[in-house]
Each structure stands twice: as C-alpha cells, then as structure tokens.
Amino acid sequence: MSRYTASDIEQKWQAAWDKADVFKARRDESKPKYYVLEMFPYPSGRIHMGHVRNYTMGDVIARFKIASGFSVLHPMGWDAFGMPAENAAMAIGGHPKTWTYGNIADMRAQMKPLGLSIDWSREFATCDPEYYGQQQAMFIDFMAKGLVYRKNAVVNWDPVDMTVLANEQVIDGKGWRSNAPVERRELTQWFFKISDYSEELLEALDGLHNWPEKVRTMQANWIGKSRGLQFSFNLTEPAGSFDSVEVYTTRPDTLLGANFIGISPDHPLARALEAENADLAAFNAECRRMGTSEADMEKAEKKGFDTGLRVKHPLDDSWELPVWVANFILMDYGTGAIFGCPAHDQRDLDFSRKYDLPVVDTFFALDDDTPVADLAFVPPKTERVKWVNHFAGLDIATGQEAIDATIDWAEEKGWGKGVTNYRLRDWGLSRQRYWGCPIPVVHCEDCGVVPEKKENLPVELPDDVTFDLPGNPLDRHPTWRDCACPACGKAAKRETDTMDTFVDSSWYFARFTSPRATTPTDAADADYWMNVDQYIGGIEHAILHLLYSRFFARAMNITGHLPDKAIEPFNALFTQGMVTHEIYVTRDERDRPVYHLPEDIEWHESGARLGATGEEITVVPSAKMSKSKKNVVDPDDIISSYGADTARWFVMSDSPPERDVEWTAAGAEATHKHLGRVWTLSDRISKMSADDGGNGDDDLTRATHRAIRDVTEGIESFAFNKAVAKLYEFTNTIAKSKAGVAAQKTAIMTLAQLMSPMTPHLAEDIWARQGGEGLVVNAPWPKPDPAMLVEDTVTLPIQVNGKRRSEIAVPVDMSKEEVEKLVLANDAVKKALDGGAPKKLIIVPGRIVNVVI
RNA sequence: GCGGGCGUGAUGGAAUGGUAGACAUACCAGACUUAAAAUCUGGAGGCCGUAUGGCCGUGCGGGUUCAAGUCCCGCCGCCCGCACCA
C-alpha cells in the first residue's frame, strides 16, 4: 500500500503548474477578472507563520476564483525600503541593498514551496529603481497639481548620534542607542496635502460596504470631523503684539463653565513670553522634551504654567480668566488654544483640581443637581439636560442642540464663527535617511526648489556609501548631491531627504497591474485589473496605510495615472488575525523574564520544566511570535517535516481568520494525520472494483451536495475554519459510507476539489489517481444540485418557559395547527401543563416551539 | 490618556435573538499488538444520580424578551492603532 508523502507530491504538482503556467495573469476581455492581493511583506529575511496564514487566505480565494471562471491576478512583491536595512548595515556592515536583495531571495525561496497561485512574473521590490523612478515621476506630477508642499515640522533629534529618530526609537524620552535625552528639532520637510481630502475621504467611507465596520469607524475617528466655535478672548492688557487669544471649542455651549485659557507650549504667545520669563521657558523646554507621539503626550502627567496674563470672558467684561500654558494642548489641532471647562471634561477637571481653579457647573442631569466633585459630568450629546442660566436662552435641551444654538447665537452676535475642523493632519513624507526613494527635486540658489526633469529619472541612490558615520549618507556624498539645476543649469544641490516608506506601499497595488510599464501605470491594464477585488492584511494597517492609499488613488486619478473607478482602490478588505504561540518563561535573579525555546522544555505531570535544570516554567499562551520571545515557528521546518499542505490546512482550520490562531505542535501533527487519512481513503476507493455494489448511494450523494454547498459558502464568506470543519465532516461521512464505487468516486473527487484551495497538492494527486481530467486547479468549481439539498423532515425542539424539555420530528411543511396538536400531545408538555392550558404557545416554523405556562 | 476590537468546555472554536459546545486538539476506554507507536471503534461542559432525569453554565453585575453567547447599560481583563516601525 502506498502512503501519503507530501514532499514527493508537492514538488511534482508545483512543477506541473509551472509547466502549464496556470497562474499567469492574463488580460482576457472575454472573462470577468478578479484581483486578489495580500499586503506585501517587508523582506526581513525569514517568512513566519503569519505570512503563511495571510498568503494562504489569499490563495484560497484566488484558486476558488480561478475554478469559478475568473481571470485572476494574484501578485507578490516586497516592501523593501526602510530602517531595518540601514540598521543592519550599521550593526553588521555591508550595504542595505545587498542585505535587502539577499533577504528577498531567501524569502522567495521559502515562499515558493508553499505552492501559492502567484504570478511571479509580476514580482518587484519597492527598492528597484524601475519602481521608485516611477514613484518619483508621480511625485513631480503631484507637485504640479499642488498636492505637495514644504513646511517646518518637529522631529526627534538624538544629540549624541546626531540623527533623527523614529518614534519607536525613542524609549522613555531617550535615544535607543545613545540613551541620550531626545530633543525636538524643527526641520523644513515635505508634505502631501491629504487634508484637502479630509471631507471626501470621510464621506467615501460610506461606500465601502465590503470593508469591516471597525476599520471604517477607526478611519472616521482618525479623520475626526468636528464642528465647533472659533472666537477670541481679549487680553486684559496686551502682551507684546498679542491682544487676544483665539480658541477653538467643540463645546461652546459650556462657555459659562470656563475657568482658564490653555495654550500649547508651541503656541506663538507661549513662545513670545519665553523671552522674558525664564521659568516659562524652562517649562516649555520640559514639554518639548516629551516624545513627539500623541500617545506620549496624552499619557504624560497633565501639567500647566500660569503665565500671569488674564483675559476677559466674552459674555461678561468683568469676569477675568487666567491664561495657562498646558502640556496636553496640541498646536496642530484647532488654534492651539482652548478654554477649560472642568465640570464637563475630565482632563480639565483633573487640571483644575491640581491647580486649585474654580469649578462651575453649566448643566445638570434632569433628575440630579449634585455639583461636580471628582468626576466630570459628560453625558452623551444626545441626552437632554437641564441648563443653568444658559446665555442663548436654553432651559432643557440636549448637548447637541445647545452646541448648535450657541454657534448660531455667537454668529448672530458677531463674536464667533462656526468652524468645521478635522483632526487629520497633512502627511509628512520627508525622512532624513538613505534607504528610501529619493525626493526628486533640486535646490537652486536662483530658481529655488525645482523638480528634476522626468528624463533624468530615476534619481538613483548612490551605491558608494558607508554607515560608519552618524546621519544621512546622502548628506555627505558630494558627487551625488552636487548637480545641475534642471531649470537654469547652474550648479545646484539635490534634496537629500528620502520618502516615507508608506509612499512606496500607497500605490504598489496599481503597479502590479502593469509592473514593467515605463510609466507608473498603463491605462489599459489599470482599467482591466483595477480595483483590487479582495485585499487582505493585518488590522494594524487599518488607519495609516489604508488611508494613505485611498489618498494616493485620488492623487493618481487627478494626475492621470488611475481611472475614475479606482478612486477607492480596494473593493473589499479583510483583516486577518495573528499567528501566536506559547512562550516559556523563567525569571532571572532580578526578576526579569528569560525566554526559552520549545525544544528545551520538558513536560511533567506537575507542569513544564526546563530540561537542563529542572526549573519550573511559566507557560504563557497566545503570545505574538517574536524572535526575542523565542516562540517563532519556522515554516521551513513545518514544510520539511509535514509538507506545505499541512501548514496551509492548519492555518485555515480552527480559528476564524479575523482572529488570532495559536500554533501548536500537536495541532500540526494532527493535521498531517488527517491529510494522510484522506490520502488513504482515496487510495482505498481507487482500488474498489467496478462491480462493488453497496448501499446508501443516495445518502452519500446527498452528503456530497451538502458539502459542496457548505464549503462554497464558507469560502465565499471568509469562514475558512467552517469550510474546513465541513470538510472534516464530509471526509468522515465518506470513510463510513458503504456506498457503491460510483458514488464513492464522485464523493472523493468532489472532496479533492473542495479541498483544493487549501491543500492544492494533495487535491491534484487525488484527482489524478481517480482519473480526473486535466489539473484540478483548472477544473470548474462544482455546483450543488438543489434537488439533493431538500430535507423533508425537521426536528423541532420544544421548550417549556424557555427551557428545552423535548423534541418532535415533523414534516418540513407541516401547518402550525398540526404542530400545535402534536406539541400539546407531547408527554413532557402534558406533564408540565399538569392538566392546565398554556398561557401562550409560540411556534416558529422550522425552528422551535416554546410553551409558556 | 484617546479611538477601535475581542472574551464560550482542559484547548482552538460552532451557534439568521430560537436545542449552547458542530468540527478539531488534548484526554479516557476498547480493538489490533508480546509490548509500544501507528491505525480503527466508542466516550466525554460541570455538579448530583445506577438510570429515566434534575440543577448550574458563554469574563463579572444588572436589564429588555415567550426565548439572550447574540440586544441594551455599567464594570474587569487582553489585543490593535495613536501620524518617523513596517
């Protein structure tokens, strides 16, 4: 008897697919097209189980669509620019390019054995000059349309390493290598005008029906549209050139509860006051030492500094309020100045208690007049509340009504104006680093900032650079930096900033439609293949990557690189969960965690112990795989011990794809055994003789059609775990069936087809051994026969007062009246009724019966 | 801190508001074997009971409903994002 040997069959069928070139995406106008895309990987050097799961999901969809008659585009590439390559160059020497292309080769070699239905002829890396040159061309087009500009912005500056740090490189306010306190430094940087599209990006979210609701909500909150009132508080005495402070508030209705004016440490007034106030200068300096990230600022202790300035309340000239500088006010949002209203804002309340500022209630709950103590009263804006002496004449009204009325009132009186604000800021794309796409502009003393001529693109990164000195190698590369001005020809200097890697990933999906075109896209190809019908990736990209890509699609549209229909480039989005694995932890003498590899653990009845020392191990389940925690499972190992189909089947089973899945060695082993059972089952059926009779043909045929229906439904609805469960069930049904050879053969071939998106190699092998025609990858997807799906009886559970007490089997189409008779005749019901009549009898046809007594 | 999500047996999970635990893992028992592994058959949420059966049970506390894992309110825990990680 032959056995299931994954390594043999997987190589064989991969070679067969290559030979038939089955995954080549062809522009075939006679077929509907389907574009499935998984977020492309960063070439870190090794693929991990998360990649396997991500790409297998896309592969299941791609193969299902091929079988369903679509012309499928399923490409793969590399998000290849970014910091790790430079970090590697600094740590181990060598060049980022060598490191990156080496990693790509390694990862491609690891991915190929998975048998993914990828059209590798379209592969590219974002660090290929052919790719980033086209990106530069688009940048120049964006400049021409006014979508790009320069302004000053702050960066994290490491004063020891003399370099700009990313937020993640700032740890507790210090540089990750130097450990020196990080400073904020202002640089002139490049920006995309994404804020021009705030309203459109927000409104268009409503049309993204096949995106997860949570992603749309997160994007809407990120864009952060708000309507509020902008108005000024006049200073009691002018301070320098300032005679007022302009504030923006979304709760102007609470103006009578104001108790202080807060301004950002970066507010022009705060900066002006620094000159004469050393204490304030020190306070502002301290604020500026905080990280630049919003999370850092929000988490920091709320602190303020009383400037001594006073303003007049706009509703009452005799009422004066102090002006404080506060570390939690962002200069980027609104006017960089607010009024504090402690009764209805927890942060303002904490601040006021800390600095002993008065707290004034402006409204109460309808049934509770208790003044605010330590908990601000912040009801939903839709809740009706009772106003204390409201200036616009309100008595009982909701917050929203009060806001609207106040804005109208203030506009009428002429002391404020209603303003719509967005939280979304322009996209700063400058990076002071080498390994990125050079920004294709030249700085000329006479002409200013001039875009490079398109015929000179790509502006290619120079190879002769070193990373032994701090800072950006482009900055100290005179022969690269010095150039001729594209406008006047005089000596000029190149821009040395490179682009944020989010730029690279904001249009790669469009490039895949025509990856070798000598323009960013090809109109006919983009028109045929766009949009991406199914995009698959991690939830961590819910906001930035997806929002930037949506902006880019619009920018590419107005610069003629994408058709109108591609303004929203992703028709459907699916966000998959992570692959996790237990971690094994002991503690060192200073109680710091020490992680151990799975192979160093011994399992005893008392629990897990470290093999070498017998030390007790704490097992932490469901931890994200990471090298530092030593819980990474290498797909290579799994493929060499069990085969790709086992890895693919495992990551599709059990957990719903949007949730995390825990990798377990036992699960992998069991998966492999199951595939072996399927293979053996097929082997047994292929040896049945033609005249083997049998019984239960009809049952098996019905089970086959139910399996087709259920598995198809599972795949279409991204419920791969349920599809897999149905396939287990169907396999068990076939294994137990005593049906004749024809029915069994049909069943096993159908099983092979239904499994083929998940375990394509095994499916091909079974298909071929059963005498299937051609390759299963090209076989049309089976359709269930409706006649074989009809059930004639149904089991109705009977509840008494909501608790299940019995059940009856009835014909599907039995009338309510007849069901009622049967229910009342049921022993359990009679016993419960004890001769009485039910209060109510609820019959949900085909579902359930509830007797209320 | 702010925004978003998740929480069901020992474990991963299933369940258009309608029989909670499909399917699978681990486990237990039986068959085969000198034995083990593999394979096959069967069992199984917890508690009580020989059993028919009963009570309890979907993170915690309330509520709506004939009926709640599912809907609503309030907590707790974990995960993701917070604009220079990708």
Side-chain angles (χ1 to χ4, degrees):
Chain A
M1 193 179 111
S2 26
R3 287 189 50 182
Y4 171 54
T5 314
S7 51
D8 293 350
I9 68 172
E10 291 183 357
Q11 277 180 16
K12 176 178 161 190
W13 293 110
Q14 282 170 22
W17 298 328
D18 274 352
K19 198 175 156 214
D21 208 9
V22 287
F23 305 128
K24 173 113 180 159
R26 292 177 178 85
R27 220 174 79 197
D28 179 348
E29 308 288 347
S30 69
K31 279 184 176 181
K33 68 90 192 181
Y34 197 89
Y35 181 4
V36 56
L37 181 68
E38 304 99 46
M39 290 179 185
F40 66 165
Y42 179 79
S44 59
R46 305 293 297 170
I47 68 166
H48 52 72
M49 279 301 165
H51 292 124
V52 174
R53 192 179 188 212
N54 191 197
Y55 305 138
T56 303
M57 282 178 201
D59 204 44
V60 168
I61 298 294
R63 289 174 177 272
F64 172 66
K65 291 294 175 182
I66 293 172
S68 304
F70 288 82
S71 181
V72 170
L73 171 58
H74 185 206
M76 182 58 65
W78 310 94
D79 189 14
F81 275 134
M83 294 199 305
E86 282 190 41
N87 292 338
M90 281 182 254
I92 58 174
H95 194 282
K97 192 176 187 174
T98 321
W99 185 85
T100 303
Y101 282 104
N103 283 350
I104 289 174
D106 289 348
M107 287 178 75
R108 189 193 303 112
Q110 284 183 287
M111 277 168 72
K112 288 262 174 114
L114 284 169
L116 301 169
S117 63
I118 287 167
D119 178 358
W120 286 101
S121 74
R122 289 177 186 253
E123 177 191 357
F124 61 77
T126 56
C127 63
D128 296 342
E130 296 74 26
Y131 182 80
Y132 71 71
Q134 299 303 332
Q135 187 164 305
Q136 291 169 338
M138 282 199 299
F139 185 90
I140 291 166
D141 293 344
F142 288 8
M143 279 178 85
K145 289 282 181 188
L147 290 164
V148 186
Y149 69 103
R150 299 170 85 208
K151 70 170 178 185
N152 285 354
V154 288
V155 293
N156 300 306
W157 179 256
D158 187 319
V160 172
D161 280 351
M162 305 280 284
T163 188
V164 176
L165 297 178
N167 283 337
E168 69 153 15
Q169 297 173 315
V170 180
I171 296 153
D172 295 331
K174 294 178 181 140
W176 66 336
R177 287 185 210 278
S178 68
N179 211 30
V182 169
E183 296 169 5
R184 285 198 199 187
R185 182 168 279 207
E186 216 168 71
L187 300 176
T188 305
Q189 307 203 60
W190 290 92
F191 285 82
F192 285 128
K193 263 195 140 306
I194 190 173
S195 64
D196 278 0
Y197 290 83
S198 299
E199 183 63 31
E200 202 198 317
L201 289 168
L202 178 67
E203 276 189 5
L205 286 172
D206 289 340
L208 300 177
H209 304 296
N210 292 314
W211 281 41
E213 187 67 43
K214 62 178 170 183
V215 174
R216 290 189 284 159
T217 308
M218 279 191 261
Q219 291 216 352
N221 289 339
W222 184 262
I223 294 168
K225 181 179 184 174
S226 67
R227 183 163 163 78
L229 187 71
Q230 195 161 315
F231 65 100
S232 291
F233 284 88
N234 293 322
L235 287 161
T236 52
E237 286 169 33
S241 58
F242 296 87
D243 54 14
S244 67
V245 180
E246 184 156 56
V247 300
Y248 171 77
T249 178
T250 57
R251 290 307 299 260
D253 52 319
T254 63
L255 184 52
L256 286 174
N259 67 336
F260 70 96
I261 301 300
I263 62 175
S264 162
D266 294 317
H267 192 280
L269 176 58
R271 287 175 180 268
L273 294 171
E274 276 180 34
E276 289 131 49
N277 190 333
D279 291 340
L280 176 60
F283 177 80
N284 286 347
E286 191 197 320
C287 294
R288 285 180 202 127
R289 272 198 295 276
M290 279 196 304
T292 52
S293 85
E294 198 168 298
D296 283 345
M297 303 189 64
E298 297 270 338
K299 273 190 274 193
E301 188 191 344
K302 307 297 175 284
K303 283 184 185 167
F305 185 95
D306 186 354
T307 61
L309 300 179
R310 295 289 178 269
V311 294
K312 291 179 187 167
H313 196 287
L315 299 175
D316 179 356
D317 253 11
S318 65
W319 182 357
E320 293 187 1
L321 301 167
V323 178
W324 286 66
V325 177
N327 66 353
F328 55 86
I329 299 169
L330 303 166
M331 193 56 223
D332 287 322
Y333 187 68
T335 59
I338 57 136
F339 72 79
C341 180
H344 309 295
D345 183 289
Q346 192 60 43
R347 192 169 58 183
D348 293 348
L349 181 64
D350 295 343
F351 188 83
S352 299
R353 294 295 183 215
K354 180 169 181 169
Y355 294 110
D356 211 16
L357 300 165
V359 175
V360 183
D361 297 280
T362 69
F363 58 80
F364 292 104
L366 294 181
D367 55 357
D368 186 0
D369 285 357
T370 322
V372 160
D374 291 326
L375 210 59
F377 178 47
V378 194
K381 283 181 190 166
T382 49
E383 190 174 310
R384 284 154 58 84
V385 293
K386 195 168 56 189
W387 293 84
V388 181
N389 192 20
H390 193 274
F391 49 95
L394 298 165
D395 180 16
I396 288 176
T398 67
Q400 192 56 56
E401 287 162 359
I403 292 166
D404 295 342
T406 308
I407 293 174
D408 290 348
W409 190 81
E411 283 188 334
E412 209 171 289
K413 300 267 172 190
W415 58 266
K417 62 174 197 288
V419 170
T420 299
N421 247 318
Y422 299 89
R423 207 184 70 101
L424 180 64
R425 308 199 292 260
D426 279 333
W427 172 8
L429 68 113
S430 287
R431 297 293 180 270
Q432 295 70 40
R433 291 182 229 288
Y434 167 79
W435 193 233
C437 170
I439 293 175
V441 302
V442 169
H443 299 272
C444 170
E445 272 185 28
D446 292 349
C447 310
V449 178
V450 185
E452 182 55 90
K453 287 182 189 159
K454 280 200 181 169
E455 62 261 35
N456 292 341
L457 299 182
V459 175
E460 219 168 315
L461 289 167
D463 285 339
D464 53 335
V465 288
T466 57
F467 294 86
D468 48 351
L469 297 169
N472 182 354
L474 295 177
D475 244 347
R476 48 170 196 268
H477 194 300
T479 57
W480 184 84
R481 214 185 145 170
D482 296 342
C483 62
C485 170
C488 69
K490 267 183 55 177
K493 290 198 186 304
R494 285 195 188 289
E495 170 66 62
T496 58
D497 281 358
T498 52
M499 295 187 202
D500 177 8
T501 55
F502 272 124
V503 181
D504 312 335
S505 55
S506 290
W507 72 287
Y508 76 108
F509 50 87
R511 184 69 182 167
F512 274 136
T513 64
S514 193
R516 312 291 170 233
T518 52
T519 46
T521 55
D522 173 88
D525 282 323
D527 195 58
Y528 180 80
W529 290 114
M530 288 301 287
N531 295 342
V532 176
D533 293 283
Q534 182 65 60
Y535 196 30
I536 304 170
I539 185 69
E540 66 272 22
H541 295 293
I543 297 174
L544 292 180
H545 163 61
L546 290 166
L547 194 62
Y548 289 158
S549 296
R550 296 178 61 218
F551 161 70
F552 238 74
R554 285 164 171 78
M556 287 174 74
N557 175 251
I558 66 165
T559 49
H561 298 297
L562 275 180
D564 290 351
K565 66 170 187 181
I567 278 178
E568 283 298 340
F570 310 122
N571 290 348
L573 172 71
F574 188 87
T575 56
Q576 95 281 3
M578 295 182 300
V579 180
T580 61
H581 191 273
E582 290 178 331
I583 49 177
Y584 309 106
V585 194
T586 55
R587 296 270 160 183
D588 70 4
E589 63 283 355
R590 284 168 59 189
D591 203 39
R592 290 172 307 197
V594 180
Y595 300 99
H596 303 280
L597 292 168
E599 54 262 39
D600 296 336
I601 311 301
E602 280 179 9
W603 295 90
H604 300 271
E605 273 177 34
S606 55
R609 291 182 181 280
L610 193 58
T613 63
E615 206 178 336
E616 208 168 307
I617 298 271
T618 308
V619 179
V620 182
S622 305
K624 185 175 180 169
M625 285 191 184
S626 77
K627 263 190 201 156
S628 62
K629 295 195 174 139
K630 299 194 177 177
N631 65 338
V632 175
V633 174
D634 199 322
D636 268 3
D637 296 344
I638 303 302
I639 292 172
S640 57
S641 6
Y642 301 118
D645 282 342
T646 292
R648 297 171 55 118
W649 183 263
F650 183 98
V651 294
M652 289 296 100
S653 46
D654 291 352
S655 281
E658 67 276 15
R659 254 198 258 177
D660 292 352
V661 63
E662 174 117 345
W663 182 273
T664 62
E669 175 77 33
T671 298
H672 186 247
K673 280 183 194 170
H674 173 72
L675 298 186
R677 273 195 293 274
V678 173
W679 202 91
T680 312
L681 181 59
S682 162
D683 194 50
R684 197 201 78 202
I685 293 171
S686 67
K687 286 172 183 150
M688 285 173 79
S689 64
D691 52 1
D692 268 356
N695 53 66
D697 284 22
D698 191 52
D699 286 345
L700 184 58
T701 304
R702 283 174 181 277
T704 304
H705 285 269
R706 276 199 307 275
I708 295 170
R709 177 193 61 192
D710 294 345
V711 172
T712 306
E713 200 177 283
I715 293 175
E716 280 176 337
S717 62
F718 257 82
F720 304 122
N721 57 322
K722 285 189 256 173
V724 166
K726 294 293 178 189
L727 287 165
Y728 270 110
E729 214 169 70
F730 185 39
T731 307
N732 292 340
T733 305
I734 303 174
K736 284 180 183 153
S737 171
K738 300 276 186 286
V741 64
Q744 296 228 25
K745 211 172 170 74
T746 306
I748 194 79
M749 288 181 76
T750 306
L751 178 69
Q753 272 193 289
L754 296 176
M755 285 176 75
S756 70
M758 290 79 144
T759 57
H761 314 86
L762 176 62
E764 291 288 3
D765 214 60
I766 293 174
W767 186 258
R769 280 166 192 268
Q770 298 292 344
E773 202 178 310
L775 293 165
V776 76
V777 66
N778 288 325
W781 194 254
K783 286 194 171 58
D785 175 358
M788 301 303 281
L789 298 173
V790 190
E791 314 272 354
D792 26 337
T793 61
V794 63
T795 304
L796 283 185
I798 300 176
Q799 295 182 333
V800 175
N801 286 342
K803 283 179 187 278
R804 201 194 78 95
R805 283 294 117 99
S806 184
E807 62 181 34
I808 46 170
V810 299
V812 180
D813 51 1
M814 186 182 250
S815 72
K816 266 193 176 188
E817 290 71 28
E818 282 178 87
V819 171
E820 190 173 326
K821 271 185 221 158
L822 284 177
V823 168
L824 292 174
N826 181 276
D827 285 347
V829 174
K830 279 200 283 196
K831 192 178 150 198
L833 285 172
D834 199 19
K839 254 190 219 157
K840 208 170 176 183
L841 189 61
I842 292 149
I843 297 172
V844 185
R847 302 293 310 185
I848 203 164
V849 176
N850 193 7
V851 185
V852 186
I853 57 175

